[in-house]
Amino acid sequence: MDALDRKILTELQLDGRLTVTELAARVKLSVSPCHRRLRDLEREGAIRGYRAVVDPSAVGLDFEALVFVTMRLEDADTVSAFEEAVAAVPHVLQAQRLFGDPDYLLRVAAADLTAFQRLYDQQLARLPGVQRLNSTLVMKHVVDDRPLPE
């Protein structure tokens, strides 16, 4: 991957709806080589897909929490069962396995505190292998959905 590929990726992260012609102009390439590079980036997996970025508040999800998960056991079966189960919870926007303690960090969206408490009690606390959950509330996003650095 060279500097031109990185520029293409940066431009698409800023505006994923660019036409190939618009993208080519922004990265100072002709359309055909730009299109070829774009296809290569998609085929190689550097570009995993395209999607709309939706404002959670616009769809009634005004409440966000970070949930730290400490596992009871960390054997392969427990980890696999936990990861499968957490992936099936739609309100979990992100789930990351961490080194050290805690074992996981979940980013969770809900309508409000009551909805979060219900989600916490009925789904998150019942995930396989969970020993302890610790939550903190998101006050505001300072940096959000920033493009990856070139």
Side-chain angles (χ1 to χ4, degrees):
M1 181 173 303
D2 62 15
L4 202 46
D5 287 337
R6 291 185 185 282
K7 181 69 176 159
I8 289 169
L9 293 174
T10 298
E11 291 298 332
L12 286 173
Q13 287 177 90
L14 294 171
D15 184 356
R17 295 183 68 166
L18 289 173
T19 66
V20 176
T21 304
E22 292 167 331
L23 179 61
R26 288 191 186 187
V27 299
K28 299 179 181 19
L29 259 184
S30 61
V31 173
S32 195
C34 183
H35 191 248
R36 199 169 23 259
R37 283 177 176 263
L38 182 58
R39 276 195 327 254
D40 289 345
L41 290 167
E42 291 168 345
R43 188 176 57 252
E44 293 165 3
I47 297 173
R48 297 189 308 202
Y50 300 89
R51 63 188 179 107
V53 178
V54 178
D55 180 352
S57 294
V59 294
L61 297 172
D62 293 315
F63 187 89
E64 188 174 324
L66 301 176
V67 180
F68 300 94
V69 180
T70 301
M71 301 296 289
R72 195 173 12 262
L73 299 170
E74 294 183 66
D75 62 281
D77 290 340
T78 304
V79 166
S80 179
F82 172 82
E83 290 179 0
E84 216 173 282
V86 81
V89 180
H91 286 81
V92 174
L93 304 179
Q94 293 178 331
Q96 299 165 327
R97 188 169 182 199
L98 309 173
F99 279 107
D101 188 36
D103 300 302
Y104 289 89
L105 170 61
L106 311 180
R107 183 173 153 237
V108 177
D112 53 28
L113 180 60
T114 302
F116 174 70
Q117 184 256 316
R118 198 169 36 253
L119 175 71
Y120 187 99
D121 291 344
Q122 295 174 6
Q123 293 182 59
L124 300 179
R126 296 178 182 182
L127 290 167
V130 170
Q131 177 183 350
R132 182 176 64 251
L133 299 174
N134 187 7
S135 300
T136 188
L137 307 181
V138 175
M139 184 185 304
K140 78 176 191 178
H141 291 263
V142 178
V143 177
D144 196 27
D145 290 328
R146 172 185 285 164
L148 296 173
E150 288 186 36

